[in-house]
Amino acid sequence: MRRRGAVLVLFALLALAGCDSVAPKPSGPSAQSALDLMFKNRYAAATAQLQDLIRAHPQDARDHATYALVLNYETKPKPALDEALKAQKLAPNDGFVLTVLTRVEDWTSDLQGAARDGATAIKAAPTSALARAFYGEALADVGRYADAQTQLKKGADLAKNGSPYDRAEVERNWANFYRDQKNYPQALDHLKLAAGAQPSWVERLLELARFSIGRQDLTGATEYLQRAATLSPDDAGLREQLGDVAIFAQDYAVAKSAYQAALKLQPRSALDLKVLGDIAVALDKDPTTAAKDERAAIAMEPTDQEAGAFLVAVLRYLTKDEGAAAQAAKQTVDLDQAAVDRQTVALATVNRYRQLAGLNPVTSSSIIHVSALAHAFYTFFNGALPGIRDLGIHKEESGGQGYVGDNVLSRAQHFGYPQRSMAEVITHRNDAAAAVNDWIDSVYHRIPLMRADLLELGYGDAYLGPMTVQVMDMSYRESATGRVIVYPVANQMNVPTAFNGNEIPDPAPNANYPIGYPVTATFDRNARVTIGAFHLRDPSGADLPGVTLQPSAADMENSFGYLANVPLRPGTTYTADLSYTLNGVAGHKTWRFTTAAGPSPTPQSQQAPELR
């Protein structure tokens, strides 16, 4: 790289002059000094310095890679990946560049890509503790635990003479290793060791807070967040990060303080204003202030549809002013129509999967759409309620803000839908198509979408800063079809290789994730079904051991599921063989499908279907 070359030239001149042959550290701004700023919790200064360096030296791959690393910690995955790929294009064989690319790919859910590039990184930089640590993380995330251990042990040896960041990252990735194996006490111990190696960096406390949230230890999460708040200087982006984690910990008081501090530093921030609008409802139960904050956010950013949609929801569901809501919905774009358009995308995605499975397409219901949309915003209005977590997200409390009905059926009936069997699935993705993909790539959420008697559906979603929610409600004929719907379907290509277990309830609670992609057979809900045998075989004919979910199991809704104990191999054709009895008649199906050659999607946290 260019600056390395400059140091080497300087070294040669000093040596010729008979001076000390140790090259001095660059005195001006550098990628390393930017990282040092980040470790001092000065994220904005680090970002600004790297942007200046890149403007001055756009061909410096290490500047791009360092910027990608900082963006990654700022939870800006797409810009981070863009910068990492720019760095790789400039220096495809640079060990540091490949190391950062490995981390960014892992954190953007490209696990196979991370494992691939991590292997290249350690070849390019075999003595880098960071390369070993990031590669070990990727290996654990794809289920290659023995290989992950090898890399982390090598990383630990190298980190003994490395930087505090090297030592902390090795410990942090041991924590990742143990968390993937569900050894949570060991994971927590290593996260604490990581925090001990870098006690002044707020990221280490945020990691502990996120871990506590995942373990349902909200008290512990709050403690870490409060400690993190004392480390946060006048850095708006860092305050926003702290606020985001606090929201997910349901600590809205800390979130409010963090976002107010961020807004004080950047008074024209539409993001800070609109998130404070949600906090005004969830924490303070103050829709008037919420509407004021959202209007202020829109004044700062007139095209901000998130703020606009939340304002409409506050006016429609909380203050019950439909006239004002309708007017607000048409300020810049038609926000109500935009919500319908997103439902159209969701419906098309569902029907694409149903067509693949040989099922008839379904239609959308405008009534169910309104019901699903109202419930999506209910989850935002009541984010501070303990009952909203996990499966409780499907329910509404009569005292909750924006309450419509206790469950999916009563909510639909509130808006005029007839009495029918209904189901609901919820997830947290970035758009409608990704939400449907999420549900299909799961176990319990796939089944409601693949029922032959599915009549119609409604979809609603909400987005505001760090928060997203997608809700799909479905109604059924409850008629007998005699169909057996298998998925993946016969001769399907590009099937994902793995299931990462981010589903509630957990279909394989004793598994070490990731495991094999789910294979399911959906029967009529009221049919009499008995499974005789099931085999999933690789190309050699060998059976893959795995987790069997019988139709009688809780949450299976009379359907069958199977997940191999380990991820499937990329680019491989598997044979599924199912023997069953349906309403007293024996049946048998054999079919093949082929996995994708490249990375598989990684579902985020999902909520299990509530079937009525």
Side-chain angles (χ1 to χ4, degrees):
M1 291 299 97
R2 183 192 61 264
R3 275 198 302 282
R4 180 190 293 169
V7 171
L8 289 173
V9 171
L10 178 61
F11 174 87
L13 291 173
L14 289 171
L16 287 171
C19 298
D20 191 329
S21 61
V22 176
K25 291 180 67 175
S27 58
S30 66
Q32 183 57 54
S33 66
L35 285 180
D36 291 340
L37 287 170
M38 181 178 72
F39 296 146
K40 294 175 182 176
N41 305 317
R42 297 178 60 194
Y43 284 69
T47 296
Q49 188 172 110
L50 285 163
Q51 289 171 340
D52 288 344
L53 287 168
I54 289 170
R55 276 192 292 269
H57 308 288
Q59 300 304 308
D60 192 312
R62 291 201 168 199
D63 286 346
H64 285 284
T66 304
Y67 188 28
L69 190 61
V70 173
L71 289 168
N72 214 42
Y73 282 116
E74 289 183 314
T75 62
K76 297 176 180 177
K78 188 179 185 306
L81 184 59
D82 289 344
E83 289 298 324
L85 292 173
K86 288 177 186 176
Q88 183 192 33
K89 186 175 181 180
L90 290 167
N93 300 313
D94 185 278
F96 178 72
V97 167
L98 291 165
T99 295
V100 172
L101 179 62
T102 299
R103 163 55 65 84
V104 173
E105 286 174 329
D106 189 279
W107 285 20
T108 53
S109 300
D110 182 358
L111 303 184
Q112 298 294 339
R116 177 196 64 232
D117 291 325
T120 307
I122 64 165
K123 290 178 181 177
T127 60
S128 167
L130 209 59
R132 301 285 182 177
F134 289 0
Y135 184 35
E137 175 184 31
L139 290 170
D141 289 345
V142 297
R144 293 169 56 186
Y145 295 114
D147 293 336
Q149 274 188 309
T150 298
Q151 294 304 321
L152 291 172
K153 286 178 180 177
K154 290 180 179 178
D157 287 339
L158 291 166
K160 291 175 182 176
N161 298 316
S163 68
Y165 179 56
D166 290 340
R167 294 191 293 276
E169 277 302 313
V170 169
E171 296 297 347
R172 185 254 173 218
N173 289 307
W174 273 118
N176 178 75
F177 172 86
Y178 285 114
R179 187 187 63 238
D180 283 350
Q181 292 197 311
K182 299 186 178 180
N183 187 337
Y184 299 115
Q186 281 274 34
L188 180 58
D189 287 346
H190 283 281
L191 283 178
K192 289 179 177 178
L193 288 171
Q198 287 186 294
S200 299
W201 189 24
V202 70
E203 173 66 19
R204 299 304 173 200
L205 291 172
L206 293 179
E207 286 172 343
L208 283 161
R210 295 183 191 107
F211 178 84
S212 298
I213 294 168
R215 300 299 302 143
Q216 305 295 309
D217 179 10
L218 301 187
T219 301
T222 295
E223 178 188 341
Y224 292 125
L225 289 170
Q226 290 172 341
R227 287 171 56 190
T230 66
L231 296 177
S232 303
D234 294 338
D235 188 302
L238 189 54
R239 289 288 185 173
E240 289 166 349
Q241 281 192 64
L242 177 60
D244 294 351
V245 177
I247 286 172
F248 294 126
Q250 292 187 292
D251 192 337
Y252 277 75
V254 170
K256 181 178 181 179
S257 175
Y259 267 99
Q260 284 179 333
L263 183 62
K264 187 175 181 180
L265 293 165
Q266 46 186 23
R268 298 178 61 83
S269 170
L271 171 64
D272 298 343
L273 285 163
K274 68 185 180 184
V275 174
L276 283 167
D278 175 72
I279 294 171
V281 175
L283 178 66
D284 301 323
K285 296 181 172 57
D286 184 356
T288 301
T289 296
K292 179 182 176 182
D293 287 340
E294 299 307 323
R295 292 187 192 280
I298 295 167
M300 295 298 103
E301 188 60 63
T303 60
D304 191 328
Q305 292 192 31
E306 292 184 358
F310 193 78
L311 173 61
V312 171
V314 168
L315 296 171
R316 177 169 289 154
Y317 305 125
L318 299 184
T319 66
K320 308 294 184 181
D321 189 342
E322 181 56 36
Q327 183 179 8
K330 291 181 169 57
Q331 287 295 314
T332 52
V333 299
D334 189 332
L335 294 171
D336 287 337
Q337 183 59 49
V340 172
D341 292 344
R342 293 193 298 276
Q343 175 177 256
T344 300
V345 172
L347 177 67
T349 309
V350 168
N351 280 332
R352 186 163 62 248
Y353 283 112
R354 288 179 64 84
Q355 181 182 26
L356 192 64
L359 290 165
N360 292 329
V362 296
T363 58
S364 62
S365 160
S366 59
I367 297 176
I368 303 178
H369 163 67
V370 170
S371 178
L373 188 63
H375 185 60
F377 281 103
Y378 173 92
T379 69
F380 280 12
F381 296 153
N382 298 280
L385 291 178
I388 205 76
R389 293 190 69 84
D390 299 334
L391 296 179
I393 199 170
H394 292 287
K395 301 175 183 178
E396 292 187 4
E397 299 178 10
S398 58
Q401 299 175 94
Y403 170 80
V404 173
D406 292 351
N407 56 56
V408 57
L409 177 58
S410 61
R411 292 192 291 270
Q413 288 180 313
H414 170 87
F415 289 103
Y417 200 71
Q419 173 82 29
R420 282 204 177 102
S421 174
M422 296 192 72
E424 178 172 83
V425 290
I426 296 178
T427 192
H428 309 276
R429 299 293 271 181
N430 292 325
D431 57 64
V436 176
N437 294 339
D438 221 13
W439 294 321
I440 290 293
D441 288 338
S442 69
V443 180
Y444 302 129
H445 296 68
R446 176 191 296 170
I447 293 166
L449 301 178
M450 288 298 185
R451 283 178 55 174
D453 65 337
L454 177 57
L455 174 63
E456 57 186 354
L457 58 81
Y459 169 88
D461 53 20
Y463 307 86
L464 197 69
M467 300 175 291
T468 79
V469 65
Q470 296 83 33
V471 179
M472 183 171 283
D473 296 343
M474 294 150 282
S475 70
Y476 301 91
R477 296 182 179 87
E478 287 286 356
S479 57
T481 68
R483 301 282 303 275
V484 182
I485 309 303
V486 298
Y487 194 89
V489 305
N491 302 315
Q492 185 171 339
M493 305 295 291
N494 295 316
V495 173
T497 60
F499 174 65
N500 289 282
N502 297 323
E503 186 172 19
I504 301 173
D506 187 345
N510 298 317
N512 288 328
Y513 286 107
I515 59 177
Y517 188 74
V519 179
T520 57
T522 302
F523 298 88
D524 291 338
R525 189 180 178 194
N526 296 317
R528 291 179 289 109
V529 179
T530 303
I531 302 300
F534 179 79
H535 300 275
L536 183 61
R537 299 186 174 102
D538 67 16
S540 73
D543 276 297
L544 276 64
V547 177
T548 299
L549 299 169
Q550 294 287 351
S552 58
D555 301 301
M556 283 305 292
E557 293 297 324
N558 212 36
S559 293
F560 172 80
Y562 190 84
L563 303 94
N565 286 337
V566 297
L568 306 181
R569 295 198 301 270
T572 302
T573 298
Y574 291 89
T575 301
D577 189 295
L578 175 67
S579 298
Y580 59 90
T581 300
L582 175 59
N583 294 324
V585 179
H588 180 255
K589 282 183 175 287
T590 300
W591 72 102
R592 294 177 177 82
F593 61 86
T594 302
T595 55
S600 296
T602 302
Q604 294 184 353
S605 295
Q606 301 164 325
Q607 309 298 328
E610 178 187 81
L611 302 175
R612 300 295 183 192

